[in-house]
Structure formats: structure tokens, C-alpha cells
Amino acid sequence: MTPKTRVLNVALRSRDRSVMETGNAIIEPDDVVLVTGAAGFIGLRVVDCLLRLGYRNVRCMARPSADGRKLEEVVRGRGAVEVMRGNLLSREDCARAVRGVRVIYHLAAGRSDMFADAFMNSVVTTRNLLRAIWEYGCLKRFVNVSSFSVYSNR
């Protein structure tokens, strides 16, 4: 774990734990939380943090091609965690992913040297996810996260 990752983890834990303890959390521990890009660098840490904070119903979405070994290690034996494989370019996969979800951490992003591919795998996928959310209407919070890695693969 790098020093930056450690600082991020400590900040997330201390901030969110105080919210849970004061009763100011926007969702209950049994509400469904979706994490897209759950097998990625940030996604693994978010999933781990949610589980450590006591959220018991975490849905982890990862691409079919993603290496899921680290994600499986993080979620093994920890609550009602659902690991689903899917593609956010598929409206059906988006609908399946958001069904019953109260909070979404949207961490999935496409990386490519070609603008069209990057647009399709970041913008179009986010649009598909938002359309699916609109259909179900049960969302309390949508957190969209990105990183500089989407701008270049160097």
C-alpha cells in the first residue's frame, strides 16, 4: 500500500465512521450500494472501506475481462456482497446493476489513445448508467469518480 493510498483509506474511514456513529448517514447498513469498476485500483479500496464501515449489501460490478482475483480476496466472507460481471455499454447490464440501489460509486472508466473509444467507454457508459437509474428512481446519491489515467495510458 502506498502512502497516498494509506492516507486516502484513513480519511475515508475516519470521515465515514463519524457519519455512521452520529446517525447522519444517508443510507442504512442494509441498503444496496453499487460500485462500478470494483476490480480497479480505486474500486478495490472503496469496496473494502464500505465493508469495514459496516455496509452489508455491496454490489460490485466489473468488466468480464477484468482480473477479479483481488476483488474476490477483498469480499471473501464479508456480508451479502454480490460480484457481477457486466458491460456498462449494455443497457440491460446497467438495469440489472442499478436495481434496488441506494448509492452508486461510479468508478468505471475507459482508457484509450483514441478519442472515440475513450468517449464510448466513459461518457456513453455513464449515460447508460444514468438512464437506468432514472428508470428505477430509488437512488439517494451518485458519486462519479475519475482519475488522470483516463487521459493517457502512459
Side-chain angles (χ1 to χ4, degrees):
M1 182 179 302
T2 68
K4 286 183 182 180
T5 303
R6 195 167 315 149
V7 169
L8 173 66
N9 285 340
V10 169
L12 285 171
R13 280 195 308 270
S14 63
R15 180 185 54 79
D16 289 342
R17 189 170 287 136
S18 64
V19 168
M20 294 281 281
E21 289 169 359
T22 62
N24 291 328
I26 64 167
I27 62 169
E28 298 299 319
D30 288 321
D31 287 338
V32 181
V33 178
L34 171 65
V35 179
T36 67
F41 179 77
I42 298 171
L44 289 169
R45 283 140 186 90
V46 169
V47 169
D48 183 52
C49 186
L50 288 167
L51 293 169
R52 277 190 273 132
L53 289 170
Y55 291 100
R56 296 183 283 265
N57 211 348
V58 179
R59 184 175 297 153
C60 304
M61 184 172 189
R63 287 187 179 114
S65 60
D67 181 356
R69 289 177 289 188
K70 289 181 182 177
L71 179 59
E72 292 294 336
E73 286 176 27
V74 168
V75 303
R76 187 174 296 124
R78 296 175 75 182
V81 178
E82 176 187 355
V83 176
M84 66 176 290
R85 296 297 182 146
N87 188 332
L88 294 176
L89 288 171
S90 162
R91 290 186 181 178
E92 294 80 18
D93 286 355
C94 288
R96 189 169 47 99
V98 304
R99 192 170 292 124
V101 168
R102 303 293 282 164
V103 172
I104 295 175
Y105 289 92
H106 180 42
L107 311 172
R111 299 180 347 193
S112 176
D113 286 339
M114 295 177 53
F115 177 78
D117 289 342
F119 182 86
M120 182 176 65
N121 289 301
S122 290
V123 176
V124 174
T125 55
T126 302
R127 182 193 64 202
N128 288 347
L129 192 60
L130 291 171
R131 281 184 177 160
I133 291 164
W134 182 260
E135 181 178 321
Y136 287 101
C138 59
L139 193 70
K140 295 225 50 98
R141 178 88 26 105
F142 183 85
V143 180
N144 187 30
V145 178
S146 190
S147 70
F148 286 113
S149 69
V150 300
Y151 299 110
S152 173
N153 63 0
R154 291 183 178 85

